[in-house]
Amino acid sequence: MSTQDQAPYVASCPECDVDLQTDAPNEIIEFHRRHYRVTGHEAEFEYAQLDLDEDVTSDGLKDVVWQLQEQYENGVPIGVVAAVMSDRGLSIGETLDEIHEVRMTGGLYEPQDDHLGAF
Amino acid sequence: MTQWDDSQAKAVSEDITEKSNALPARYFTDDDVFEMEKDKVFGQYWVYAGHANCIKESGQYFTRTIGDRQLIVVRGHDGEVKAFDNVCAHRGSKMVEDTPMTDPGDAKRIKCPYHLWTYDLDGELKSTPKSFEEAGLNPDLEDEDVQKFDAEENALNDVHVDTIGPLIFVNLSEDPMPLAEQAGVMKDRLEALPLGEYEHATRIVSEVECNWKVFASNYSECDHCQANHQDWIKGISLNESELEVNDYHWVLHYTHAEDVEDEMRIHDEHEAQFHYFWPNFTVNMYGTADGYGTYIIDPIDTNRFQLIADYYFRDSELSEEEREFVRTSRQLQEEDFELVERQWEGLRTGALAQAQLGPNEHTVHRFHQLAQEAYDS
Ligand code: FES
Ligand SMILES: [Fe+2]
């Protein structure tokens, strides 16, 4: 893949040595899903330059979404949520699993595809 | 003449000895074309699904997405491989999760998670829960008036499957030409080799920013090798190499500069053979390894594809030499990704309406012809 200036979001697969650099955090999630679909490997954040008005102080997934949703019009992109959670030690796959779990309890919803709001 | 203007672009030339028109650039860059390809390319021809050695036991399955279709490829109780749409006959739910062949699933039955309709490995409806047999919640119906669901009429939608050795192909069209016809001499050649004796050892997937046809074209010629694959080219005498073109496939035979020991390769010839099979599959027989590889050039959208590279060796555990060999192959891929991404940046500017091809790009020409034929069909 061509070299370029560091993009704000970079993810890679440790097993395949492929990476994705993008400005759109949800592209990282798409990349993760596609890569997992064909390899069973989990891509991980290499780098995420979150451009937030306010720092996230909470730790739990739901609280993170709660805190972030002020800063987004119509839901927090799950790529951003995954980036924040990866700072807290959760892999992308773990974050996606947890999003699913919390959504099933009704604590989170999707105002648009792959964007989250919290109750 | 190279065409800079869409209005001057012509169809791919019939015969490259007279004219050398490439596929007009808009077929690479238009989103409409990508949609059309789902139907006219990936919906018409035999497309590689995966390797039979990954599902040796009955009940083992993997999924494969081709265009918009999601398929379950499963080995039945009779030992035959079958493929079905991953869509329930009841109300259309997707049934099994995405499962790559590198991590196959195992099922005695295919059960839809929505209302638990269950199918056998032939796709026939095996059982429905009680709620489909009794009219408990419907006051207008007596239990004995409840319709019985016929096992065959409510079977999963099956898709044509055929094989070349252990390589499994599927065809999404209703009435396909036989795989033997599309594959021609490639089928006999590959079946003469003990491909089934080799095990899947590793898979590397890369996402590349260019249209899938740009990579396919790049794979099909070696005029770029001298300048761009300097490590690899050292061992090859390009002058003695040959590019062979058939109806739906072409083979790049590369002769080694020095004789390679016989036990180092799966085939007898003193060469490497790279088979391209229309539309998006390759079989790579390197002259320097006792094993082989395959590529699937899978489009994601107009601007991206993923290269799924699989490697097969005697043993599924890679030896240190084999690992080194895969690294070298990976290096070749990276070098090619640079080239095709750069070409893509140029192409997508729209400046060039139509390329023209050189005499050693007759393989690329065949690829472009097949694309044009498919679009016009
Ligand atoms: S949709 Fe599959 S059982 Fe109802
Ligand atoms: Fe990977």
Side-chain angles (χ1 to χ4, degrees), chain A residues 37-88:
Chain A
R37 225 168 17 230
V38 293
T39 60
H41 304 160
E42 301 226 4
E44 289 304 332
F45 272 107
E46 198 112 271
Y47 177 78
Q49 187 189 14
L50 288 162
D51 201 8
L52 303 172
D53 306 342
E54 257 177 83
D55 281 348
V56 187
T57 48
S58 354
D59 272 338
L61 174 72
K62 194 180 141 175
D63 295 334
V64 166
V65 175
W66 180 262
Q67 217 188 329
L68 280 170
Q69 65 188 350
E70 317 275 88
Q71 304 181 35
Y72 291 88
E73 269 285 86
N74 196 22
V76 188
I78 57 174
V80 170
V81 177
V84 172
M85 295 313 288
S86 111
D87 278 340
R88 286 155 181 70

Side-chain angles (χ1 to χ4, degrees), chain A residues 13 15-16 18 35 39 41, chain B residues 205:
Chain A
C13 169
E15 305 200 47
C16 293
V18 294
H35 195 75
T39 60
H41 304 160
Chain B
V205 176

Side-chain angles (χ1 to χ4, degrees), chain B residues 21-22 27 76 93 100 102 108 117 149 156 180 221 224 229 232 236 240 246 279 317 328 340 342-343 372 375:
Chain B
N21 297 337
Y27 288 108
S93 175
T102 49
K108 291 195 177 47
W117 280 33
F149 291 100
L156 298 177
E221 51 88 5
H224 71 273
H229 302 306
W232 185 68
I236 302 287
E240 286 157 42
N246 297 279
E317 287 301 316
T328 309
V340 297
R342 182 145 26 96
Q343 186 188 354
Q372 182 91 62
Y375 302 151

Side-chain angles (χ1 to χ4, degrees), chain B residues 88-93 95 112-117 119 132:
Chain B
C88 181
H90 173 224
R91 276 169 54 203
S93 175
M95 297 183 299
C112 176
Y114 198 0
H115 312 89
L116 307 181
W117 280 33
Y119 305 85
F132 286 84

